[in-house]
Amino acid sequence: MLQTGSGATTREAIHSAATRLFRARGYSRTTVRQIAAAADTDPALVIRHFRSKELLFLETMHLTIDDEPLLDVPLERLGERLAGLLVELGGSARGVFLALVHGSNEPHIHERLRDTHERLFVAPLRRRLSCPDADVRARMAAALAGGLLYALWVAGDEGLLRMDRTELVSRYGALLQEVLTPRTS
Amino acid sequence: MLQTGSGATTREAIHSAATRLFRARGYSRTTVRQIAAAADTDPALVIRHFRSKELLFLETMHLTIDDEPLLDVPLERLGERLAGLLVELGGSARGVFLALVHGSNEPHIHERLRDTHERLFVAPLRRRLSCPDADVRARMAAALAGGLLYALWVAGDEGLLRMDRTELVSRYGALLQEVLTPRTS
DNA sequence: GACCGGGCGTCAACATTGTTGACCGAACTT
DNA sequence: AAGTTCGGTCAACAATGTTGACGCCCGGTC
């Protein structure tokens, strides 16, 4: 009957509090009671609205990039464009990505991360390629993309973090370009 | 005074049980009581020998590769050699790597992962290069290496997993080679 | 109007987690 | 022989995710 009483609003309060906390502190370091307190409600209600902490996590942690800017650039600049997107990605996307990676010990979260990798990197890149080995190229480029995020955020390579952004974009972009449209020399 | 009574043996039993369980199930899904049961002892003793679950994890989860085979290959084959090492790495190294990545929500484990990345990938590669930008090249190659492990194990890209090993080594190796010793064309 | 059925909220409890302290036995030191 | 220290056992603690019992209040039905 979906009566839109105060139920929906507290549900949204829980949702937004969970989003913020999961992004900031990850899955295991965020407790249901913290979420309840931030949403000014009861821990039991958090579970009653979303059926478990893990389902709440899955419902809040969606990693999306507008992949339109990926598509509207000429093919020979795709590598640099993707590299630029990756290094500028920071902020909220960083939190979601790290939460997914850290939480992917849990099978459902791992599945979510795999979907995200496929949908965010592999599929858009493959769509831009027409050669017979487009799938392999897209997957290798996706591995490179994930590798950059891994090195910067997961491993925390301070050498790369301190590096000049435009140089990093240029060099890593050239590498991505080499996977996507190799020089046949 | 180091009396080698039954103290050291149970400590080793705990150590080996923890190693096995952490590798198989990761940090958060392994409980101190499971470790104690597998070592046939008491949970309290696990904590008394290693001061906390996290310290026990750090003492057991060391990721090492004999980097000698990395060094004894001519520079122009280094890329393919590294790629070969990475895809054949499986087994126990996979468990340790995943445990570190998943657990790196915890600051100390994150620090361990950063050290491992530096010691396992960045440093050996930089040692082989002599150009002025050796550091940047080594770090980018390390990002590629981590990206391959990330794509295969963390994200679980089934397309790459199903791919022919020798082709994957050859193609990803060429890419690594491009970072290490770029064709100046 | 009386009734009551179900969504919303509150509270107390449960099992499990990591961790600590109290107690005990045995072995080594003096 | 006395004492100190290490190794082990047991019970407890606070915090975690989760569940069930109870109360409230609004919307529809006799």
Side-chain angles (χ1 to χ4, degrees):
Chain A
M1 211 35 74
L2 262 183
Q3 68 182 27
T4 95
S6 83
T9 78
T10 62
R11 184 188 165 96
E12 287 177 16
I14 293 173
H15 186 100
S16 95
T19 303
R20 181 164 40 88
L21 287 173
F22 279 142
R23 279 213 280 247
R25 310 180 42 85
Y27 181 69
S28 64
R29 292 167 60 93
T30 307
T31 101
V32 172
R33 285 171 169 84
Q34 283 171 13
I35 297 172
D40 199 42
T41 174
D42 195 90
L45 265 187
V46 175
I47 299 296
R48 274 246 289 246
H49 275 296
F50 311 83
R51 313 195 4 203
S52 72
K53 179 188 175 184
E54 191 181 1
L55 287 178
L56 172 56
F57 181 86
L58 289 174
E59 197 145 331
T60 49
M61 295 291 100
H62 290 271
L63 187 55
T64 55
I65 307 180
D66 317 327
D67 47 11
E68 315 311 328
L70 264 177
L71 300 174
D72 66 1
V73 81
L75 186 58
E76 64 268 19
R77 295 218 189 100
L78 190 51
E80 188 159 1
R81 181 74 178 126
L82 177 54
L85 270 180
L86 291 175
V87 305
E88 302 300 337
L89 204 54
S92 72
R94 178 178 185 273
V96 177
F97 178 78
L98 283 177
L100 286 175
V101 168
H102 291 150
S104 69
N105 203 15
E106 231 69 34
H108 291 117
I109 301 181
H110 175 256
E111 196 175 342
R112 164 67 54 86
L113 180 59
R114 178 162 51 199
D115 286 359
T116 301
H117 184 76
E118 189 82 14
R119 189 174 36 79
L120 217 64
F121 294 144
V122 178
L125 290 174
R126 188 175 42 207
R127 216 178 297 137
R128 289 298 309 271
L129 301 177
S130 48
C131 39
D133 57 351
D135 187 74
V136 173
R137 289 232 185 97
R139 292 188 185 282
M140 290 182 53
L144 259 68
L148 185 54
L149 300 188
Y150 168 82
L152 288 175
W153 295 343
V154 183
D157 185 326
E158 304 193 9
L160 286 183
L161 283 169
R162 268 199 283 270
M163 199 174 151
D164 176 53
R165 294 292 179 104
T166 69
E167 188 191 348
L168 180 57
V169 168
S170 155
R171 299 186 71 152
Y172 213 88
L175 219 60
L176 281 162
Q177 194 66 44
E178 180 71 21
V179 194
L180 297 168
T181 63
R183 303 173 286 177
T184 52
S185 88
Chain B
M1 211 39 68
L2 262 184
Q3 71 182 23
T4 94
S6 80
T9 79
T10 62
R11 183 188 166 96
E12 288 177 15
I14 293 173
H15 186 100
S16 94
T19 304
R20 182 164 41 88
L21 287 173
F22 279 142
R23 279 212 281 248
R25 310 180 41 85
Y27 180 70
S28 65
R29 293 167 60 93
T30 305
T31 107
V32 173
R33 285 170 170 85
Q34 283 171 13
I35 296 172
D40 199 42
T41 175
D42 195 271
L45 266 187
V46 175
I47 298 296
R48 274 245 290 243
H49 276 296
F50 312 83
R51 311 190 10 202
S52 72
K53 178 189 175 184
E54 191 181 2
L55 288 177
L56 172 56
F57 181 86
L58 289 174
E59 196 144 330
T60 50
M61 296 290 101
H62 290 272
L63 188 55
T64 55
I65 306 181
D66 317 328
D67 47 11
E68 316 310 329
L70 264 178
L71 300 174
D72 66 0
V73 82
L75 186 58
E76 64 269 20
R77 295 217 188 99
L78 190 51
E80 188 159 1
R81 181 72 178 130
L82 177 55
L85 270 181
L86 292 175
V87 305
E88 301 301 335
L89 204 55
S92 72
R94 178 179 185 274
V96 177
F97 177 77
L98 283 177
L100 286 175
V101 168
H102 291 150
S104 69
N105 202 17
E106 230 68 33
H108 291 116
I109 301 182
H110 175 256
E111 196 175 344
R112 164 67 54 86
L113 180 60
R114 179 162 49 199
D115 286 359
T116 301
H117 185 78
E118 189 83 14
R119 189 174 37 78
L120 217 64
F121 294 143
V122 178
L125 290 173
R126 187 176 42 209
R127 217 178 297 136
R128 290 297 309 271
L129 301 177
S130 49
C131 39
D133 57 351
D135 187 73
V136 173
R137 289 230 186 99
R139 292 189 184 282
M140 290 183 53
L144 260 68
L148 185 53
L149 301 187
Y150 168 82
L152 288 175
W153 296 342
V154 182
D157 184 326
E158 304 193 9
L160 285 183
L161 284 169
R162 268 199 283 271
M163 200 174 151
D164 176 53
R165 294 290 179 107
T166 70
E167 189 192 349
L168 179 58
V169 168
S170 156
R171 300 186 71 152
Y172 213 87
L175 218 61
L176 282 162
Q177 195 66 43
E178 179 72 19
V179 194
L180 297 168
T181 63
R183 303 173 284 177
T184 51
S185 86

